[in-house]
Amino acid sequence: MDNAKILVVEDENVVALEIKKRLTRLGYVVPSVAASGKEAISKAKGFLPDLILMDIRLKGEMDGIEAAQEIWTQLGIPVIYLTAHSDDETLKRAKQTNPYGYVLKPFEEEDLRAVIEVALYRRQKETCE
């Protein structure tokens, strides 16, 4: 899906900017970056991205899993988790939100692109049915 809008949710500014740069290089549009769960929900409502790349550990009282659940429930926007955490408890919680992908940091650009493309394709198929 060319020019897909992707919201990046990452509380480390340097990491967020690097992800945005990589996504832009891959041809995606990154209209905004959010640093907290509450900000992610607000920005998702504001410009309705096609997809959200969500870090799990975020500053503030709401983590990425809670934010993803809220965004999915309210807006139906799919989420791909992009995180350094793969422990059993985190995976178990994340799976309950029906993510469209789970990518471990550090990641290869090609791997991220493949997960994004599959997620966008899946979303397109689901909305056309």
Side-chain angles (χ1 to χ4, degrees), residues 5-124:
K5 290 187 299 185
I6 299 177
L7 172 63
V8 174
V9 184
E10 167 64 62
D11 62 357
E12 292 182 41
N13 197 39
V14 174
V15 176
L17 292 175
E18 177 62 27
I19 293 168
K20 180 177 179 174
K21 188 171 80 176
R22 287 179 172 202
L23 291 173
T24 303
R25 190 168 48 229
L26 290 168
Y28 302 111
V29 176
V30 184
S32 193
V33 174
S36 71
K38 285 194 182 302
E39 187 182 5
I41 293 166
S42 173
K43 288 189 175 186
K45 286 178 180 175
F47 68 85
L48 300 173
D50 298 300
L51 188 67
I52 297 174
L53 284 185
M54 178 80 72
D55 190 12
I56 289 179
R57 301 276 195 268
L58 298 171
K59 293 181 178 96
E61 68 277 0
M62 179 184 286
D63 72 5
I65 294 172
E66 292 167 302
Q69 184 63 57
E70 187 115 351
I71 288 167
W72 179 253
T73 302
Q74 289 184 24
L75 305 167
I77 299 169
V79 170
I80 294 173
Y81 291 112
L82 188 59
T83 182
H85 303 279
S86 62
D87 59 277
D88 288 344
E89 185 56 34
T90 300
L91 272 171
K92 182 179 170 191
R93 284 184 63 225
K95 285 192 301 190
Q96 292 172 344
T97 66
N98 298 313
Y100 278 48
Y102 199 101
V103 178
L104 289 175
K105 295 178 195 171
F107 59 88
E108 296 294 324
E109 210 166 277
E110 301 79 37
D111 295 337
L112 183 61
R113 188 180 77 74
V115 171
I116 289 171
E117 285 300 313
V118 168
L120 291 170
Y121 179 78
R122 176 178 158 196
R123 182 67 180 150
Q124 190 176 21

